Amino acid sequence: MGVDLLNRSSYEFLSSSKSFECTLGKRKYFSFSSFQQQPPKKERRLFGPTLEDGFWDIISSSAKQPNLEVIRSCNGKVMLSNLSFMPSAKPRVYKTIGLKEGEGTYGLVFTVIDIDNPEKELVMKISVANSNFFAEVSALNFLNSKKTTPNVPQLHDWFITDKLPPNSGHWGKISDSLKKSSQFKNISKYPVGYLILEKANAGALASFTKNHCSGYQKDIWKLVDSILFQLLFTASALPESSVIHRDIGGYNIMLTSTDDIKENYLNFRVGKQLFRFEKQPIKPLLIDYGTANILEIGSSLKTDFRYTTLRYRAPEMIFLSSKPTGTLQPIFTPATDLFFYCN
């Protein structure tokens, strides 16, 4: 598999911006409603389908979408009493059949459809709207805007509210699942957070052998080669984009098809260099940014022990060690697993 270094001048997004530039890191203290809202749009009404059919108009649940800079200045702490001061979320209607995709440390995940974009494969991650929820929203929002790697899921939408999904139809099944989950025992104190994300439709990296190595596949090593390089480049691109994931592992790396990508190559930016890889049938996606940190301007990764424990360092930091020895390094297992399972 070839890795090409492209001409910088041929891509507009190769700007002259400095590394670790992060406007979200600046501390600002102002009210939740202080940012300028978009001009009001014509309200869209939903006719015909009812909640029993699996539709949910989020505006009916008083959905809010506060300014992320304000949330960051509050260290991600939002109480139910703050909701009345927050701007409303954009009107959207989501449909579900109640299919549960998984349950992680920070939330339960269900398949949904945005009726205005039915062609997109989406999932809704529902959790308590605490600091972990806002850490994930902030990290994804920041990484999507940087566009340094295609291995980060696209954040389609997000909002918070004081309500669980409607207690009827397929949404009622989801609501019942949330009530039974131990993650929602503090629901009386904090809002509920909803993340709508690009769906990874090819399983977890930890299940790579089961899903993609059964039987003989002519180009399996070409696929493994591509995934390994993408993971290495992305693990380097994240801290250069001022984001530390802190929880990279086999079950936090999903795989998804590339059928919707029209180009024949995937582009990566590391430092000031742009690289490209030939597109393969699937690509990895790094998920679960609930423990992520967005670095402040001037922050040093090598000396900031908020991201370091005695026997563990965030996997991304392996690229930032000044000496090859004498520094604790993590065991980055996904690459090893790929080679082992496909042997």
Side-chain angles (χ1 to χ4, degrees), residues 31-183:
S31 66
F32 288 105
S33 58
S34 62
F35 82 105
Q36 185 177 2
Q37 298 187 47
Q38 297 295 324
K41 296 181 179 180
K42 184 177 180 181
E43 185 176 359
R44 173 177 45 76
R45 296 289 183 180
L46 177 65
F47 296 98
T50 63
L51 290 176
E52 285 71 25
D53 298 315
F55 290 80
W56 178 25
D57 187 342
I58 64 172
I59 295 301
S60 66
S61 297
S62 303
K64 306 289 185 178
Q65 191 177 95
N67 187 342
L68 287 177
E69 286 194 38
V70 181
I71 297 299
R72 184 169 172 79
S73 71
C74 299
N75 295 318
K77 187 175 182 179
V78 175
M79 308 301 289
L80 288 174
S81 58
N82 301 135
L83 290 177
S84 60
F85 301 101
M86 297 179 180
S88 298
K90 295 180 180 179
R92 290 187 187 272
V93 177
Y94 290 104
K95 181 181 179 180
T96 187
I97 57 173
L99 178 61
K100 184 178 179 180
E101 290 287 339
E103 180 173 354
T105 306
Y106 305 110
L108 282 68
V109 183
F110 302 88
T111 300
V112 297
I113 297 173
D114 180 347
I115 66 165
D116 289 335
N117 301 276
E119 73 285 353
K120 292 185 177 182
E121 290 190 85
L122 301 171
V123 292
M124 177 180 284
K125 184 176 182 179
I126 309 174
S127 64
V128 176
N130 53 21
S131 59
N132 300 112
F133 171 80
F134 289 111
E136 183 158 21
V137 174
S138 298
L140 288 172
N141 184 70
F142 197 64
L143 291 169
N144 286 171
S145 66
K146 283 285 186 178
K147 299 180 180 179
T148 56
T149 168
N151 302 132
V152 174
Q154 291 295 311
L155 178 60
H156 179 76
D157 187 23
W158 69 275
F159 60 93
I160 62 176
T161 178
D162 59 349
K163 300 177 178 63
L164 292 173
N167 194 26
S168 57
H170 294 300
W171 286 110
K173 299 176 183 178
I174 293 178
S175 186
D176 290 340
S177 297
L178 298 175
K179 292 174 183 177
K180 295 176 183 178
S181 173
S182 60
Q183 297 186 37

Side-chain angles (χ1 to χ4, degrees), residues 311-328:
R311 299 184 181 276
Y312 174 82
R313 294 184 73 188
E316 305 97 306
M317 295 178 69
I318 193 171
F319 298 98
L320 302 168
S321 299
S322 57
K323 297 180 181 180
T325 59
T327 305
L328 292 175

Side-chain angles (χ1 to χ4, degrees), residues 66 135 217:
Q217 296 186 35

